[in-house]
Amino acid sequence: MQKIILLPLILLAFPALGQVPSLDIWEVHDMDRPQPRIVTPGELTSSPAPSDAMVLFDGTNFDHWTHANGTPVDWHLGDGYMEVKPGTGIIKTKRSFGDVQLHIEWATPNSGEGQDSGNSGVYLMSTYEVQVLNSFDNETYPDGQAASLYGQYPPLVNASRPPLEWQSYDIIFRRPHFEENGSLKQPARVTVFHNGVLVQDNVILTGPTGHQSRPPYKAHEDALPLFLQDHNEPTRFRNIWIRDLNSDM
Ligand code: MG
């Protein structure tokens, strides 16, 4: 087990940040990292979009989405939900976003194990993944389970529902800021509620999502599309809405 304490460095680099979460940085996908405690969430309640939200998916069409290359979405459109059609690739929003509040509901199939059980993902700014996975009786590396910030932060607790049941994420995302020369001015921060339970508490992302790596930040636009991952499993999504937190600031 290797553990590097980066807290002093990060505090020096970003003294203006008020709330700093635990920054004991484990090796990426470290199986020695503690498995989050299991919490049984309450019943899923309806979360209709508030008046200033943009409804990205109401269960009836893919109007706000395309594949990565701009072609029409080839995922399955079911009765009130969409389902990943394995092999067709990610889908992304036509609009771009920076700071957002996002609500999204999802359900995994009842098949596969480890990272191959309903794996998908919510990629903020096409870059920073909140993992979607069946994590009910399905152990994997903690920084890759449901509601993890993939490769960086396990959820505070495991609030997963069983496969086939609808689950929800409510995500608050604050984008990174970059200097003119491309260096990092302020890292991205993320808060996530999984099935109504706080699982990521304003954590500071170390950079873009990587697999078996934690790549450093790379300067990008102030707004980029949201995308949903095709990881070759027929995971479903419904009731997706987003509030642009920049428009009132
Ligand atoms: Mg994923």
Side-chain angles (χ1 to χ4, degrees):
M1 179 181 75
Q2 278 186 309
K3 195 169 72 162
I4 310 160
I5 308 297
L6 291 178
L7 180 60
L9 272 179
I10 291 178
L11 282 176
L12 275 176
F14 308 111
L17 291 173
Q19 189 178 353
V20 180
S22 168
L23 289 171
D24 288 359
I25 308 296
W26 296 75
E27 207 173 336
V28 67
H29 310 325
D30 195 335
M31 281 304 289
D32 290 334
R33 203 164 175 168
Q35 293 286 338
R37 160 174 78 84
I38 292 171
V39 170
T40 303
E43 291 299 309
L44 182 65
T45 51
S46 164
S47 292
S51 62
D52 64 348
M54 179 178 186
V55 176
L56 293 174
F57 182 69
D58 69 0
T60 65
N61 64 75
F62 289 117
D63 288 358
H64 292 289
W65 302 84
T66 68
H67 280 293
N69 59 5
T71 57
V73 173
D74 192 26
W75 288 12
H76 176 64
L77 186 62
D79 184 12
Y81 65 88
M82 63 166 88
E83 183 179 292
V84 177
K85 190 186 286 183
T88 57
I90 68 108
I91 65 169
K92 65 175 187 177
T93 55
K94 293 177 182 173
R95 242 204 72 177
S96 291
F97 304 94
D99 294 345
V100 295
Q101 175 186 347
L102 173 70
H103 177 84
I104 185 164
E105 296 173 20
W106 52 275
T108 67
N110 189 15
S111 59
E113 58 182 36
Q115 287 289 305
D116 297 320
S117 185
N119 195 333
S120 182
V122 177
Y123 275 75
L124 298 146
M125 302 193 88
S126 309
T127 307
Y128 310 98
E129 182 185 20
V130 180
Q131 172 73 309
V132 169
L133 191 76
N134 164 35
S135 288
F136 189 89
D137 282 341
N138 178 46
E139 203 167 287
T140 185
Y141 40 85
D143 68 12
Q145 72 176 67
S148 65
L149 295 166
Y150 187 83
Q152 298 183 27
Y153 297 99
L156 293 170
V157 294
N158 181 349
S160 295
R161 291 199 170 92
L164 306 177
E165 290 191 18
W166 286 103
Q167 313 199 44
S168 66
Y169 284 159
D170 288 281
I171 298 170
I172 301 161
F173 176 76
R174 293 290 181 180
R175 70 175 176 87
H177 291 252
F178 299 95
E179 303 283 6
E180 288 283 315
N181 66 7
S183 65
L184 182 65
K185 183 177 179 187
Q186 192 175 309
R189 288 173 291 138
V190 191
T191 295
V192 180
F193 293 85
H194 182 193
N195 296 326
V197 179
L198 180 67
V199 289
Q200 300 288 354
D201 187 5
N202 196 28
V203 296
I204 299 170
L205 290 180
T206 60
T209 297
H211 177 57
Q212 298 179 344
S213 69
R214 292 198 186 112
Y217 278 99
K218 199 172 159 190
H220 57 62
E221 303 295 320
D222 293 350
L224 287 166
L226 174 76
F227 89 56
L228 301 178
Q229 186 183 35
D230 168 11
H231 195 281
N232 287 316
E233 288 125 57
T235 294
R236 295 177 176 183
F237 295 94
R238 72 176 186 187
N239 190 21
I240 308 172
W241 53 259
I242 197 163
R243 293 181 64 243
D244 185 337
L245 299 179
N246 295 122
S247 54
D248 294 323
M249 294 174 69

Short mmCIF file of all heavy atoms in Angstrom, two decimals, residues 35 38-41 106 108-114 117 132-140 145-146 158-165 167 194-195:
data_model
loop_
_atom_site.label_atom_id
_atom_site.label_comp_id
_atom_site.label_asym_id
_atom_site.label_seq_id
_atom_site.Cartn_x
_atom_site.Cartn_y
_atom_site.Cartn_z
N GLN A 35 -13.30 -0.09 1.68
CA GLN A 35 -14.59 -0.10 0.99
C GLN A 35 -15.56 0.80 1.76
O GLN A 35 -15.68 0.68 2.98
CB GLN A 35 -15.16 -1.53 0.94
CG GLN A 35 -14.36 -2.48 0.07
CD GLN A 35 -14.55 -2.25 -1.42
OE1 GLN A 35 -15.55 -1.66 -1.84
NE2 GLN A 35 -13.60 -2.69 -2.23
N ILE A 38 -21.84 0.62 3.80
CA ILE A 38 -23.10 0.52 3.05
C ILE A 38 -24.22 1.25 3.79
O ILE A 38 -24.39 1.08 4.99
CB ILE A 38 -23.46 -0.96 2.82
CG1 ILE A 38 -22.45 -1.58 1.84
CG2 ILE A 38 -24.89 -1.11 2.29
CD1 ILE A 38 -22.56 -3.08 1.70
N VAL A 39 -24.93 2.08 3.05
CA VAL A 39 -26.10 2.79 3.58
C VAL A 39 -27.28 2.45 2.68
O VAL A 39 -27.17 2.54 1.46
CB VAL A 39 -25.87 4.32 3.58
CG1 VAL A 39 -27.15 5.06 3.89
CG2 VAL A 39 -24.78 4.70 4.58
N THR A 40 -28.37 2.03 3.27
CA THR A 40 -29.57 1.76 2.47
C THR A 40 -30.32 3.08 2.26
O THR A 40 -30.74 3.70 3.23
CB THR A 40 -30.49 0.76 3.18
OG1 THR A 40 -29.73 -0.42 3.43
CG2 THR A 40 -31.70 0.43 2.31
N PRO A 41 -30.43 3.49 1.00
CA PRO A 41 -31.11 4.77 0.75
C PRO A 41 -32.60 4.65 0.98
O PRO A 41 -33.15 3.55 1.00
CB PRO A 41 -30.79 5.06 -0.72
CG PRO A 41 -30.58 3.71 -1.32
CD PRO A 41 -30.01 2.83 -0.24
N TRP A 106 -30.59 6.61 -13.24
CA TRP A 106 -29.99 5.53 -14.02
C TRP A 106 -30.32 4.18 -13.39
O TRP A 106 -30.66 4.11 -12.20
CB TRP A 106 -28.48 5.72 -14.14
CG TRP A 106 -27.74 5.94 -12.85
CD1 TRP A 106 -27.56 7.13 -12.20
CD2 TRP A 106 -27.11 4.94 -12.02
NE1 TRP A 106 -26.85 6.93 -11.04
CE2 TRP A 106 -26.56 5.61 -10.90
CE3 TRP A 106 -26.95 3.56 -12.13
CZ2 TRP A 106 -25.86 4.94 -9.90
CZ3 TRP A 106 -26.24 2.89 -11.13
CH2 TRP A 106 -25.71 3.57 -10.03
N THR A 108 -28.86 -0.05 -13.75
CA THR A 108 -27.93 -0.98 -14.41
C THR A 108 -28.64 -2.29 -14.73
O THR A 108 -29.61 -2.65 -14.07
CB THR A 108 -26.71 -1.29 -13.52
OG1 THR A 108 -27.15 -2.04 -12.38
CG2 THR A 108 -26.01 -0.03 -13.06
N PRO A 109 -28.12 -3.03 -15.71
CA PRO A 109 -28.64 -4.38 -15.95
C PRO A 109 -28.20 -5.30 -14.81
O PRO A 109 -27.30 -4.95 -14.04
CB PRO A 109 -27.99 -4.78 -17.27
CG PRO A 109 -26.73 -3.96 -17.33
CD PRO A 109 -27.04 -2.67 -16.62
N ASN A 110 -28.83 -6.45 -14.73
CA ASN A 110 -28.47 -7.42 -13.69
C ASN A 110 -27.54 -8.46 -14.30
O ASN A 110 -27.90 -9.61 -14.47
CB ASN A 110 -29.74 -8.08 -13.14
CG ASN A 110 -29.45 -8.93 -11.92
OD1 ASN A 110 -28.38 -8.82 -11.33
ND2 ASN A 110 -30.38 -9.79 -11.56
N SER A 111 -26.35 -8.03 -14.66
CA SER A 111 -25.40 -8.94 -15.31
C SER A 111 -24.00 -8.39 -15.12
O SER A 111 -23.81 -7.21 -14.82
CB SER A 111 -25.71 -9.05 -16.81
OG SER A 111 -25.64 -7.77 -17.40
N GLY A 112 -23.04 -9.27 -15.31
CA GLY A 112 -21.64 -8.86 -15.23
C GLY A 112 -21.16 -8.73 -13.81
O GLY A 112 -21.92 -8.85 -12.85
N GLU A 113 -19.87 -8.49 -13.68
CA GLU A 113 -19.30 -8.29 -12.35
C GLU A 113 -18.14 -7.32 -12.42
O GLU A 113 -17.64 -7.01 -13.50
CB GLU A 113 -18.86 -9.63 -11.74
CG GLU A 113 -17.84 -10.38 -12.57
CD GLU A 113 -17.49 -11.72 -11.95
OE1 GLU A 113 -18.38 -12.38 -11.37
OE2 GLU A 113 -16.31 -12.10 -12.03
N GLY A 114 -17.74 -6.85 -11.24
CA GLY A 114 -16.65 -5.89 -11.16
C GLY A 114 -16.96 -4.66 -12.00
O GLY A 114 -18.06 -4.11 -11.94
N SER A 117 -20.23 -4.54 -14.72
CA SER A 117 -21.63 -4.68 -14.31
C SER A 117 -22.33 -3.32 -14.41
O SER A 117 -22.35 -2.54 -13.47
CB SER A 117 -21.70 -5.23 -12.88
OG SER A 117 -23.05 -5.46 -12.52
N VAL A 132 -20.80 5.45 -13.04
CA VAL A 132 -22.07 4.73 -12.98
C VAL A 132 -21.72 3.24 -13.04
O VAL A 132 -21.01 2.81 -13.95
CB VAL A 132 -22.99 5.12 -14.15
CG1 VAL A 132 -24.20 4.19 -14.23
CG2 VAL A 132 -23.43 6.57 -14.01
N LEU A 133 -22.19 2.48 -12.05
CA LEU A 133 -21.85 1.06 -11.98
C LEU A 133 -22.82 0.39 -11.02
O LEU A 133 -23.35 1.04 -10.11
CB LEU A 133 -20.41 0.89 -11.43
CG LEU A 133 -19.80 -0.51 -11.52
CD1 LEU A 133 -19.37 -0.82 -12.95
CD2 LEU A 133 -18.58 -0.63 -10.59
N ASN A 134 -23.07 -0.91 -11.23
CA ASN A 134 -23.78 -1.66 -10.20
C ASN A 134 -22.80 -1.91 -9.06
O ASN A 134 -21.84 -2.67 -9.20
CB ASN A 134 -24.29 -2.99 -10.75
CG ASN A 134 -24.66 -3.93 -9.62
OD1 ASN A 134 -25.16 -3.48 -8.58
ND2 ASN A 134 -24.41 -5.21 -9.81
N SER A 135 -23.04 -1.27 -7.92
CA SER A 135 -22.17 -1.48 -6.74
C SER A 135 -22.97 -2.08 -5.59
O SER A 135 -22.63 -1.89 -4.43
CB SER A 135 -21.49 -0.17 -6.34
OG SER A 135 -20.50 0.18 -7.27
N PHE A 136 -24.02 -2.79 -5.93
CA PHE A 136 -24.82 -3.51 -4.92
C PHE A 136 -24.35 -4.96 -4.95
O PHE A 136 -24.56 -5.68 -5.92
CB PHE A 136 -26.30 -3.41 -5.28
CG PHE A 136 -27.23 -3.93 -4.23
CD1 PHE A 136 -27.70 -3.10 -3.21
CD2 PHE A 136 -27.64 -5.26 -4.24
CE1 PHE A 136 -28.57 -3.58 -2.25
CE2 PHE A 136 -28.50 -5.75 -3.27
CZ PHE A 136 -28.98 -4.90 -2.27
N ASP A 137 -23.69 -5.39 -3.89
CA ASP A 137 -23.11 -6.74 -3.87
C ASP A 137 -22.18 -6.97 -5.04
O ASP A 137 -22.17 -8.06 -5.63
CB ASP A 137 -24.23 -7.80 -3.88
CG ASP A 137 -24.86 -7.95 -2.50
OD1 ASP A 137 -24.23 -7.53 -1.52
OD2 ASP A 137 -25.98 -8.49 -2.44
N ASN A 138 -21.45 -5.96 -5.42
CA ASN A 138 -20.51 -6.11 -6.53
C ASN A 138 -19.28 -5.28 -6.21
O ASN A 138 -19.24 -4.08 -6.45
CB ASN A 138 -21.15 -5.64 -7.83
CG ASN A 138 -20.15 -5.73 -8.99
OD1 ASN A 138 -19.46 -6.73 -9.15
ND2 ASN A 138 -20.06 -4.67 -9.78
N GLU A 139 -18.27 -5.97 -5.66
CA GLU A 139 -17.10 -5.24 -5.18
C GLU A 139 -16.12 -4.96 -6.32
O GLU A 139 -15.91 -5.78 -7.20
CB GLU A 139 -16.41 -6.05 -4.08
CG GLU A 139 -15.56 -5.19 -3.17
CD GLU A 139 -15.14 -5.94 -1.92
OE1 GLU A 139 -16.01 -6.16 -1.05
OE2 GLU A 139 -13.96 -6.32 -1.82
N THR A 140 -15.53 -3.79 -6.25
CA THR A 140 -14.47 -3.42 -7.18
C THR A 140 -13.53 -2.49 -6.43
O THR A 140 -13.72 -2.27 -5.22
CB THR A 140 -15.06 -2.75 -8.43
OG1 THR A 140 -14.00 -2.50 -9.38
CG2 THR A 140 -15.74 -1.42 -8.11
N GLN A 145 -16.05 2.48 -7.95
CA GLN A 145 -17.42 2.01 -7.73
C GLN A 145 -18.43 3.12 -8.03
O GLN A 145 -18.04 4.25 -8.36
CB GLN A 145 -17.58 1.49 -6.30
CG GLN A 145 -17.58 2.55 -5.23
CD GLN A 145 -17.84 1.91 -3.84
OE1 GLN A 145 -17.02 1.15 -3.32
NE2 GLN A 145 -18.98 2.22 -3.27
N ALA A 146 -19.70 2.79 -7.94
CA ALA A 146 -20.75 3.78 -8.22
C ALA A 146 -20.53 5.01 -7.36
O ALA A 146 -20.20 4.90 -6.17
CB ALA A 146 -22.12 3.19 -7.94
N ASN A 158 -21.58 3.78 0.48
CA ASN A 158 -22.16 3.08 -0.67
C ASN A 158 -23.68 3.08 -0.52
O ASN A 158 -24.23 2.30 0.25
CB ASN A 158 -21.61 1.65 -0.73
CG ASN A 158 -22.16 0.88 -1.93
OD1 ASN A 158 -23.10 1.33 -2.60
ND2 ASN A 158 -21.60 -0.29 -2.18
N ALA A 159 -24.34 3.97 -1.24
CA ALA A 159 -25.80 4.12 -1.14
C ALA A 159 -26.50 3.48 -2.33
O ALA A 159 -27.57 3.94 -2.77
CB ALA A 159 -26.15 5.61 -1.04
N SER A 160 -25.91 2.40 -2.86
CA SER A 160 -26.43 1.78 -4.09
C SER A 160 -27.73 1.03 -3.88
O SER A 160 -27.94 0.41 -2.83
CB SER A 160 -25.39 0.80 -4.64
OG SER A 160 -24.23 1.48 -5.05
N ARG A 161 -28.54 1.07 -4.90
CA ARG A 161 -29.70 0.18 -4.98
C ARG A 161 -29.33 -1.01 -5.87
O ARG A 161 -28.36 -0.94 -6.63
CB ARG A 161 -30.90 0.92 -5.60
CG ARG A 161 -31.47 2.00 -4.72
CD ARG A 161 -32.89 2.37 -5.16
NE ARG A 161 -33.50 3.23 -4.15
CZ ARG A 161 -33.46 4.56 -4.17
NH1 ARG A 161 -32.89 5.18 -5.16
NH2 ARG A 161 -34.01 5.26 -3.20
N PRO A 162 -30.13 -2.08 -5.81
CA PRO A 162 -29.83 -3.26 -6.63
C PRO A 162 -29.94 -2.96 -8.13
O PRO A 162 -30.56 -1.97 -8.53
CB PRO A 162 -30.91 -4.26 -6.22
CG PRO A 162 -31.44 -3.76 -4.92
CD PRO A 162 -31.30 -2.28 -4.95
N PRO A 163 -29.35 -3.82 -8.95
CA PRO A 163 -29.49 -3.69 -10.39
C PRO A 163 -30.98 -3.65 -10.77
O PRO A 163 -31.82 -4.18 -10.03
CB PRO A 163 -28.85 -4.96 -10.95
CG PRO A 163 -28.03 -5.51 -9.86
CD PRO A 163 -28.56 -4.99 -8.57
N LEU A 164 -31.28 -3.04 -11.88
CA LEU A 164 -32.63 -2.90 -12.46
C LEU A 164 -33.48 -1.84 -11.75
O LEU A 164 -34.48 -1.39 -12.29
CB LEU A 164 -33.40 -4.23 -12.48
CG LEU A 164 -32.70 -5.41 -13.16
CD1 LEU A 164 -33.54 -6.69 -13.05
CD2 LEU A 164 -32.41 -5.10 -14.63
N GLU A 165 -33.07 -1.45 -10.54
CA GLU A 165 -33.83 -0.39 -9.85
C GLU A 165 -33.28 0.98 -10.24
O GLU A 165 -32.08 1.14 -10.43
CB GLU A 165 -33.74 -0.56 -8.32
CG GLU A 165 -34.49 -1.76 -7.81
CD GLU A 165 -34.61 -1.76 -6.28
OE1 GLU A 165 -34.42 -0.71 -5.66
OE2 GLU A 165 -34.86 -2.85 -5.75
N GLN A 167 -31.93 4.65 -9.82
CA GLN A 167 -31.12 5.35 -8.83
C GLN A 167 -30.93 6.79 -9.32
O GLN A 167 -31.15 7.08 -10.49
CB GLN A 167 -29.75 4.69 -8.70
CG GLN A 167 -29.83 3.18 -8.58
CD GLN A 167 -28.57 2.56 -8.00
OE1 GLN A 167 -28.01 3.05 -7.02
NE2 GLN A 167 -28.13 1.46 -8.59
N HIS A 194 -26.04 10.55 -3.93
CA HIS A 194 -26.45 9.31 -4.59
C HIS A 194 -27.70 8.80 -3.88
O HIS A 194 -27.66 8.52 -2.68
CB HIS A 194 -25.30 8.29 -4.49
CG HIS A 194 -25.57 6.98 -5.17
ND1 HIS A 194 -24.78 5.87 -4.96
CD2 HIS A 194 -26.52 6.61 -6.07
CE1 HIS A 194 -25.24 4.86 -5.68
NE2 HIS A 194 -26.29 5.28 -6.36
N ASN A 195 -28.77 8.74 -4.60
CA ASN A 195 -30.06 8.34 -4.00
C ASN A 195 -30.37 9.19 -2.76
O ASN A 195 -30.87 8.69 -1.74
CB ASN A 195 -30.05 6.85 -3.66
CG ASN A 195 -29.92 6.00 -4.91
OD1 ASN A 195 -30.43 6.36 -5.97
ND2 ASN A 195 -29.22 4.88 -4.80
#
